[in-house]
Amino acid sequence: MRSLVVFVVCMMLGLLGPARAEQVTVFAAASLKTALDQIAADFMEQTDYNVSISYAGTSLLARQISLGAPADVFISANREWMDWLEARQALVPDTRREIIGNRLVLIAHGAEGAALALTRENLAHHLGAERIATALVEAVPAGLYAKAALSHMGLWERLSSQIVQTDNVRAALALVAAGETAFGIVYASDAQAEPRVHVLGVFPPDSHPDIRYPAALLKGRTSAGGQAFLDHLDTAPARVVFKDQGFMLPKASP
């Protein structure tokens, strides 16, 4: 009887409270922030899970995961870094999937500007000697795509000294938005998220590898919440958010 009274008093004082929601930790490419913040908020409203997301360059996140950083879900901005983790047996088997795609664009400072056909001649003339912000061109996916596109056009050697490299694509976007660099090479979704820049043009799809975002569960942290969030990324509501934020839905597998 006494224990029942103590329980009732604790409930009245709010000392017991509801059970804590399960924590889901997500490591995600920086370019996903605007869309994924909204998707995670919607997911938390619909479930009992609490989602915490760490954003950074894909290469940094992959290395942290390989060193044992605790996360339930990883979303990469390219296939290669997910391959790298898979080769190290860091992924839960059969959970890997591609959720969205993206486009590579050239942006300029300012809210408005004329469009530019991204040909070799147009780029060489328009960029001149101005600085161009990108993510790290030897490690971060957005930077790798940027270097591939400029190399395909035969402009890398000419423009490489003008490249200002940053830790991730959102940092490159911020430089252009602040006017620290005149131009930047980022994803279409990044440009859409920042009103202080405008898109000059879209790089031809054949100028760089396909931009795809694979996601997977990580070993050692397998949980119902992680699986539920991974599944949620494939739902119609999540896809609507991705599409509204400038991402592309994945093509059907051949």
Side-chain angles (χ1 to χ4, degrees):
M1 181 65 181
R2 184 174 182 277
S3 60
L4 177 60
V5 172
V6 171
F7 176 81
V8 172
V9 170
C10 287
M11 287 294 291
M12 292 175 64
L13 294 176
L15 297 180
L16 296 182
R20 292 182 62 186
E22 180 183 333
Q23 181 74 28
V24 179
T25 302
V26 180
F27 278 15
S31 55
L32 291 163
K33 180 171 175 52
T34 306
L36 207 58
D37 279 352
Q38 182 178 340
I39 290 169
D42 294 341
F43 175 77
M44 286 188 286
E45 283 186 3
Q46 299 164 18
T47 68
D48 294 328
Y49 301 113
N50 184 40
V51 180
S52 174
I53 308 176
S54 293
Y55 297 103
T58 291
S59 56
L60 175 61
L61 294 174
R63 291 189 178 105
Q64 289 177 343
I65 291 167
S66 73
L67 294 174
D72 299 288
V73 179
F74 177 49
I75 312 175
S76 170
N78 72 356
R79 294 162 171 161
E80 286 73 19
W81 279 109
M82 191 66 86
D83 291 343
W84 188 81
L85 283 176
E86 191 165 27
R88 285 158 178 75
Q89 301 183 342
L91 310 183
V92 176
D94 302 321
T95 64
R96 176 175 173 171
R97 64 192 72 175
E98 289 188 353
I99 53 172
I100 47 172
N102 217 326
R103 295 168 295 159
L104 192 69
V105 300
L106 177 69
I107 59 171
H109 178 68
E112 297 180 357
L116 179 71
L118 298 192
T119 64
R120 185 181 190 280
E121 293 74 18
N122 284 349
L123 276 174
H125 174 73
H126 198 81
L127 296 177
E130 296 286 355
R131 298 195 303 165
I132 309 155
T134 72
L136 294 169
V137 299
E138 299 296 340
V140 178
L144 294 168
Y145 295 131
K147 182 177 180 180
L150 293 177
S151 298
H152 178 85
M153 293 179 162
L155 290 172
W156 176 251
E157 293 300 325
R158 176 174 178 174
L159 298 175
S160 60
S161 62
Q162 298 166 224
I163 299 294
V164 179
Q165 299 185 51
T166 63
D167 287 341
N168 60 68
V169 70
R170 283 300 174 100
L173 177 70
L175 285 182
V176 184
E180 296 295 327
T181 64
F183 302 105
I185 301 176
V186 300
Y187 299 125
S189 58
D190 297 306
Q192 184 170 315
E194 175 52 74
R196 295 174 294 170
V197 306
H198 64 274
V199 174
L200 283 171
V202 180
F203 284 92
D206 63 355
S207 69
H208 56 79
D210 285 344
I211 302 173
R212 299 304 174 94
Y213 289 73
L217 294 181
L218 298 170
K219 281 187 177 179
R221 294 267 298 188
T222 305
S223 66
Q227 183 67 63
F229 185 75
L230 183 63
D231 291 341
H232 182 72
L233 297 176
D234 274 333
T235 63
R239 291 190 171 206
V240 167
V241 174
F242 281 131
K243 189 173 182 180
D244 287 347
Q245 293 296 333
F247 291 91
M248 301 166 59
L249 300 184
K251 298 175 183 177
S253 300

